[in-house]
Amino acid sequence: MLSGKAMPESTYDQRLLDTRGSVEWLHQDPWRVLRIQSEFVEGFGLLAEVGPAVSVFGSARIKPGSEYYELAERVGQGLVEAGYAVITGGGPGIMEAGNKGANPGGLSVGLGIELPFEQQLNEHIDIGISFRYFFVRKTMFIKYSQAFVVLPGGFGTMDELFEALTLVQTGKITRFPIVLVGREFWSPLLEWFKGTLVAEGMISPEDPDLLHLTDDPEEVVRVIVEAHREENRRREETAVVEAAATEAGT
Ligand SMILES: CC(C)=CCNc1ncnc2c1ncn2[C@@H]1O[C@H](COP(=O)(O)O)[C@@H](O)[C@H]1O
């Protein structure tokens, strides 16, 4: 970890993605692949035994005591009571609230990101990793959680929401509940999905149904538990049908 004067002026993501400037950096790209690889290896190693988990996303700027902070804390607590680990971006605001709700009752995970300004993981974390690359970190959220809960937030939150939505819509991940918390905040976006995106044929009429909207932390947990129960039932049914087909064929 670097702090104060030792903090570099640019981030690893910036140096990787910036094609302008000194060509010296370009010659280092092949070596960067190894650094990226090691970040995947470290993430896979630390998270492999996390068990069933749900990621909680939302604004880094929300302060303790605010309505959304308390809501996120209750969501974290409810998820842990239902047997899930809680994964967040490890920072302040909603992330901190989600981790705080999960801790000390359950497993609280923070997947932090190196930013151009100094920042520490919040203090309510059992397993914490600081990533240099956003895209490596995003892979970890998707790979190690079985649902996303998204509270109000800004660009970072939208990025995480739309990544998950695209992966579900395109069938890259299946049966992955995405729950939006905060009806007043999210309703205009859902209206826009239906009134503009569906109306202009940019998404299918059923695509907005990939999102579940609520204000109630207990409903968040209920929706996720039921979706996973249904998924397990489907898997068991498929396994029985496949076993019967194999037996019939032998
Ligand atoms: C005070 C401040 C701005 C700190 C930023 N520190 C952060 N630390 C960790 N994850 C972050 C941070 N900022 C954005 N993110 C990511 O983007 C989302 C929040 O971004 P936003 O505030 O909605 O756009 C979080 O779910 C998180 O995964």
Side-chain angles (χ1 to χ4, degrees):
M1 160 129 190
L2 298 173
S3 64
K5 284 198 291 289
M7 287 285 284
E9 284 175 12
S10 59
T11 68
Y12 290 91
D13 271 318
Q14 279 170 342
R15 292 193 290 274
L16 174 73
L17 298 174
D18 199 354
T19 51
R20 291 156 297 170
S22 166
V23 288
E24 200 186 310
W25 282 114
L26 298 178
H27 297 302
Q28 294 187 15
D29 275 354
W31 296 107
R32 275 204 188 115
V33 172
L34 297 179
R35 170 65 228 176
I36 291 165
Q37 189 175 314
S38 77
E39 204 152 89
F40 276 111
V41 171
E42 189 192 355
F44 292 158
L46 275 167
L47 299 172
E49 285 166 32
V50 160
V54 174
S55 284
V56 177
F57 297 109
S59 172
R61 302 174 187 216
I62 294 285
K63 300 284 174 245
S66 74
E67 181 196 342
Y68 293 147
Y69 190 100
E70 283 175 12
L71 208 45
E73 212 176 318
R74 288 176 60 199
V75 167
Q77 197 180 341
L79 288 169
V80 153
E81 282 164 9
Y84 295 102
V86 170
I87 305 179
T88 77
I94 296 290
M95 297 170 267
E96 178 187 295
N99 288 130
K100 191 172 173 199
N103 213 358
L107 188 62
S108 179
V109 181
L111 306 183
I113 183 76
E114 176 235 333
L115 294 168
F117 46 89
E118 208 170 334
Q119 202 210 312
Q120 311 258 324
L121 290 173
N122 73 64
E123 62 189 68
H124 308 282
I125 289 171
D126 301 309
I127 300 178
I129 311 176
S130 259
F131 290 91
R132 289 178 175 180
Y133 297 103
F134 256 116
F135 62 91
V136 178
R137 175 181 183 253
K138 270 164 108 182
T139 305
M140 302 298 154
F141 283 125
I142 297 281
K143 184 169 167 60
Y144 292 102
S145 43
Q146 285 82 52
F148 274 9
V149 179
V150 192
L151 281 103
F155 288 162
T157 304
M158 299 304 146
D159 178 43
E160 287 150 353
L161 167 61
F162 282 97
E163 160 111 356
L165 256 182
T166 309
L167 290 172
V168 178
Q169 188 205 39
T170 55
K172 290 284 182 185
I173 42 174
T174 48
R175 304 267 159 179
F176 191 95
I178 306 173
V179 187
L180 301 180
V181 187
R183 280 184 185 277
E184 206 182 322
F185 183 88
W186 292 110
S187 290
L189 182 68
L190 289 181
E191 289 309 312
W192 183 70
F193 281 3
K194 290 173 191 161
T196 302
L197 297 191
V198 174
E200 296 204 22
M202 303 294 174
I203 59 173
S204 303
E206 64 276 12
D207 283 342
D209 301 335
L210 296 173
L211 296 163
H212 189 101
L213 180 60
T214 183
D215 280 323
D216 176 8
E218 285 173 16
E219 191 177 333
V220 172
V221 178
R222 208 167 42 241
V223 166
I224 294 171
V225 169
E226 278 169 16
H228 290 156
R229 208 172 277 153
E230 172 66 13
E231 171 66 1
N232 287 341
R233 203 183 52 73
R234 267 171 28 88
R235 280 203 188 137
E236 276 164 23
E237 268 176 22
T238 312
V240 170
V241 170
E242 281 174 2
T246 311
E247 206 168 304
T250 53

